């Protein structure tokens, strides 16, 4: 999710089948990912922290929009209930122990302060210790030892509560995938850099994909590979697109937007954040020059504005599987471009935007809005095959969402990268 300015400053059978089927000539790590059905879901993986005998997997956000890696430490408290930035709310809640570092024989804890801020400071976390420990991805290709992450012990969420303190929802852990930069938002710990420095991968690459959608109301399954690629997870060419640089996260130049045979070059001159830790897509259409109404007109009444978001003009279950929106990105080479087609029904994620419950029979609010920002969130990732090389900063896109739901790594199309190799 978007980092913000600081104000003051298993499946064990699967593991064995994978390691026997995949003959890799370089080290790599595979982390299965999913994207649950729900309005505020993001790209997640089940990671087990440490080696305590009763350690359970923790649902961890895999976030291309931030760089640091943290999990809740012991005795953590979250404060909430103020709708104003920077104010302590009336409510707090204890975070159940999820990383039992005292019972993890592999834990090495050091004193180190941490301070992370997300979403315009609406979510602030801090702690005083880091841990180096083993983490294990459910369904992955084995434990990753000596991984460093921060232990958050205090959280402050900006979230209104009427004083009853009925509870809050919060992330259990965030693993940042955004590349290291020299600014303070990437103070670390940095998962990708640690993987590379400890020799757990030989190349500083990550690729991420989702499989085909099942139906509206289902979660998506997919994977992330560090130091390797599986080319059966996309179709067509993998095209390098310019890295637009800028703030923390992956930024690309804005694409042309294609719907129902019409093409739009949106009016806002902005680059786009590619952010697996954001729940929705925001497209930079301007309402002041009629571009927004031209967009809706182009859909011949299939899409409509509804309660601040883009909606399908019918119930969610009726969205045709072949109805999609295309995003055409210019390539690094002037003769190349890549269009990512996202099925519209992938945007139906149990929206909270209904004006009233009776509308559900006639309209389907989507996880898509038209604003001055350009953000490609988890919804976009359902159809994207993303490749990023932290070594040279290159970003490449291909059409994802093609492998069958729940599919595993494919030995025939798998390749691990040696030192100096890339996608
Ligand atoms: C994570 O764990 C949940 C609960 O066991 C399971 O339903 C889901 O498939 C798992 N996801 C991944 C990516 O391992
Ligand atoms: C819980 O919230 C109250 C404010 O209502 C605060 O005074 C108290 O210190 C908080 N407790 C912790 C452990 O943060
Ligand atoms: C964890 O450690 C505590 C003492 O620190 C002990 O009482 C408890 O039994 C341990 N649990 C496990 C599962 O080893
Ligand atoms: C770590 O911090 C704690 C609490 O401030 C302190 O008691 C301890 O001595 C520190 N450890 C080291 C190695 O500095
Ligand atoms: C706060 O909201 C809850 C649920 O909406 C309601 O049950 C409760 O009565 C409200 N409390 C106050 C003090 O308004
Ligand atoms: C913990 O991990 C960091 C990052 O890889 C590394 O610099 C540090 O040496 C490690 N500490 C120990 C005690 O292994
Ligand atoms: C789209 O508009 C931008 C300005 O916002 C311009 O730089 C770019 O060349 C345009 N692209 C095309 C394909 O017309
Ligand atoms: C959209 O369609 C309406 C009615 O068909 C028309 O009046 C309006 O000018 C169109 N708007 C744009 C921006 O094309
Ligand atoms: C989608 O499929 C339907 C029939 O299955 C067809 O009538 C329609 O033209 C298709 N639309 C697109 C955009 O391909
Ligand atoms: C585009 O140009 C580059 C360099 O000139 C070349 O290597 C590449 O094959 C070309 N791509 C296509 C699709 O023609
Ligand atoms: C629900 O909202 C629609 C407008 O979106 C309105 O026409 C309808 O009367 C509302 N129904 C109720 C029961 O409030």
């Amino acid at each position: 999710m978007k980092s913000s300015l600081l104000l003051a400053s298993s499946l064990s059978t699967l593991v064995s089948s994978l390691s026997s089927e995949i003959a890799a000539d370089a080290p790599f790590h595979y982390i299965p990912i999913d994207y649950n059905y729900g309005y505020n879901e993001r790209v997640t993986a089940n990671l087990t922290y440490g080696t305590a005998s009763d350690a359970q997997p923790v649902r961890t956000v895999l976030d291309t929009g931030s760089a640091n890696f943290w999990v809740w430490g012991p005795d953590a408290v979250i404060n909430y209930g103020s709708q104003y930035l920077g104010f302590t709310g009336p409510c707090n809640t204890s975070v159940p122990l999820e990383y039992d570092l005292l019972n993890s024989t592999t834990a090495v804890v050091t004193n180190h302060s941490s301070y992370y801020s997300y979403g315009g400071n609406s979510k602030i976390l801090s702690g005083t210790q880091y841990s180096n420990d083993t983490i294990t991805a459910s369904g992955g290709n084995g434990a990753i030892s000596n991984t460093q992450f921060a232990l958050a012990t205090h959280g402050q969420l900006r979230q209104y509560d009427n004083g009853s303190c009925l509870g809050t929802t919060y992330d259990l852990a965030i693993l940042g995938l955004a590349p290291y930069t020299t600014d303070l938002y990437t103070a670390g710990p940095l998962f990708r850099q640690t993987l590379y420095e400890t020799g757990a991968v030989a190349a500083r690459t990550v690729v991420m994909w989702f499989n085909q959608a099942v139906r509206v109301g289902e979660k998506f399954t997919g994977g992330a590979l560090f130091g390797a690629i599986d080319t059966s997870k996309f179709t067509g060419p993998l095209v390098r697109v310019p890295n637009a640089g800028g703030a923390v996260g992956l930024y690309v130049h804005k694409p042309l937007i294609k719907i129902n045979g019409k093409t739009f070059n949106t009016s806002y001159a902005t680059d786009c954040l590619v952010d697996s830790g954001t729940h929705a897509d925001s497209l930079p259409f301007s309402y002041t020059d009629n571009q927004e109404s031209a967009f809706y007109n182009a859909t011949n009444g299939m899409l409509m504005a509804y309660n601040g978001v883009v909606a399908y003009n019918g119930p969610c279950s009726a969205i045709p599987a072949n109805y999609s929106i295309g995003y055409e990105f210019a390539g690094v080479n002037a003769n190349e471009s890549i269009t990512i087609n996202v099925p519209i029904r992938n945007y139906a994620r149990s929206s909270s935007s209904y004006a009233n419950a009776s509308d559900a029979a006639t309209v389907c609010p989507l996880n898509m809005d038209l604003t001055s920002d350009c953000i490609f969130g988890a919804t976009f990732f359902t159809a994207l095959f993303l490749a990023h090389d932290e070594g040279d900063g290159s970003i490449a896109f291909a059409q994802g969402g093609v492998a069958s739901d729940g599919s595993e790594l494919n030995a025939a199309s798998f390749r691990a990268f040696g030192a100096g190799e890339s996608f």
Side-chain angles (χ1 to χ4, degrees):
M1 58 221 69
K2 205 168 177 177
S3 304
S4 48
L5 289 171
L6 306 183
L7 289 171
S9 55
S10 153
L11 304 169
S12 51
T13 51
L14 190 59
V15 173
S16 52
S17 83
L18 273 178
S19 26
S20 57
E21 280 168 32
I22 301 292
D25 33 22
F28 72 97
H29 275 284
Y30 171 51
I31 298 184
I33 59 175
D34 53 16
Y35 172 34
N36 275 351
Y37 182 65
Y39 170 69
N40 199 29
E41 296 296 332
R42 279 76 46 78
V43 175
T44 52
N46 295 329
L47 302 181
T48 299
Y49 294 83
T51 49
S53 60
D54 58 348
Q56 296 294 317
V58 175
R59 203 150 164 261
T60 302
V61 178
L62 256 57
D63 184 16
T64 60
S66 67
N68 306 304
F69 186 14
W70 62 265
V71 64
W72 293 108
D75 304 319
V77 172
I78 294 174
N79 178 269
Y80 68 100
S82 171
Q83 60 188 320
Y84 304 107
L85 271 187
F87 283 85
T88 302
C91 315
N92 43 45
T93 186
S94 296
V95 181
L97 186 67
E98 45 187 45
Y99 167 45
D100 187 1
L101 67 91
L102 295 177
N103 286 330
S104 179
T105 54
T106 41
V108 179
V109 175
T110 47
N111 286 347
H112 198 302
S113 66
S114 57
Y115 185 94
Y116 308 126
S117 169
Y118 303 92
N121 292 316
S122 63
K123 179 158 67 182
I124 297 171
L125 299 140
S126 58
T128 58
Q129 293 182 316
Y130 282 5
S131 182
N132 283 38
D133 208 339
T134 298
I135 65 167
T136 311
S138 303
N141 66 320
I144 313 174
S145 60
N146 203 18
T147 301
Q148 190 173 54
F149 44 85
L151 303 177
T153 48
H154 186 258
Q156 188 167 327
L157 307 183
R158 180 179 55 160
Q159 183 185 69
Y160 175 72
D161 186 283
N162 67 6
S164 298
C165 297
L166 295 174
T168 183
T169 55
Y170 50 88
D171 293 320
L172 300 180
I174 297 179
L175 189 163
L177 294 174
Y180 170 76
T181 65
T182 51
D183 70 34
L184 70 171
Y185 314 115
T186 58
L190 302 167
F191 176 73
R192 294 178 63 185
Q193 188 158 306
T194 305
L195 274 187
Y196 181 68
E197 285 173 354
T198 59
V201 295
R204 301 178 64 176
T205 59
V206 64
V207 302
M208 276 170 86
W209 69 90
F210 278 104
N211 301 316
Q212 283 171 17
V214 184
R215 66 185 71 78
V216 171
E218 302 279 324
K219 73 171 184 175
F220 287 83
T221 62
L225 272 171
F226 298 85
I229 194 168
D230 182 345
T231 56
S232 69
K233 307 305 184 187
F234 62 89
T235 184
L238 178 63
V239 175
R240 279 168 201 268
V241 298
N243 182 335
V248 174
L250 298 183
Y251 281 87
V252 297
H253 296 314
K254 71 175 182 183
L256 298 174
I257 298 181
K258 299 174 165 184
I259 186 96
N260 197 24
K262 308 262 187 340
T263 298
F264 293 90
N265 189 3
T266 57
S267 336
Y268 286 111
T270 178
D271 290 327
C272 303
L273 176 62
V274 181
D275 186 0
S276 58
T278 286
H279 69 285
D281 288 3
S282 294
L283 308 179
F285 279 95
S286 167
Y287 68 92
T288 53
D289 61 2
N290 284 335
Q291 223 182 25
E292 226 183 88
S293 53
F295 169 78
Y296 287 115
N297 277 10
T299 71
N300 288 331
M302 300 235 335
L303 299 182
M304 59 193 273
Y306 176 84
N307 228 12
V309 299
V310 178
Y312 178 72
N313 189 4
C316 297
S317 57
I319 305 172
N322 64 357
Y323 187 41
S324 64
I325 183 167
Y327 304 103
E328 182 186 322
F329 297 86
V332 167
N333 292 327
N335 59 340
E336 291 176 348
S337 67
I338 177 75
T339 299
I340 306 300
N341 287 305
V342 185
I344 292 289
R345 69 178 195 173
N346 292 14
Y347 287 96
R349 307 300 298 168
S350 186
S351 179
S352 64
S353 302
Y354 283 107
N356 58 51
S358 61
D359 286 355
T362 56
V363 60
C364 179
L366 304 174
N367 271 16
M368 177 193 287
D369 54 34
L370 309 183
T371 66
S372 55
D373 283 337
C374 184
I375 300 174
F376 287 110
T379 36
F380 178 68
F381 274 78
T382 62
L384 174 69
F385 183 93
L386 168 72
H388 176 251
D389 188 337
E390 199 172 13
D392 64 5
S394 56
I395 299 174
F397 285 175
Q399 178 70 49
V402 294
S404 57
D405 180 52
S407 72
E408 291 305 327
L409 293 182
N410 183 347
S413 51
F414 177 89
R415 184 162 78 94
F417 300 124
E421 293 182 333
S422 193
F423 44 82

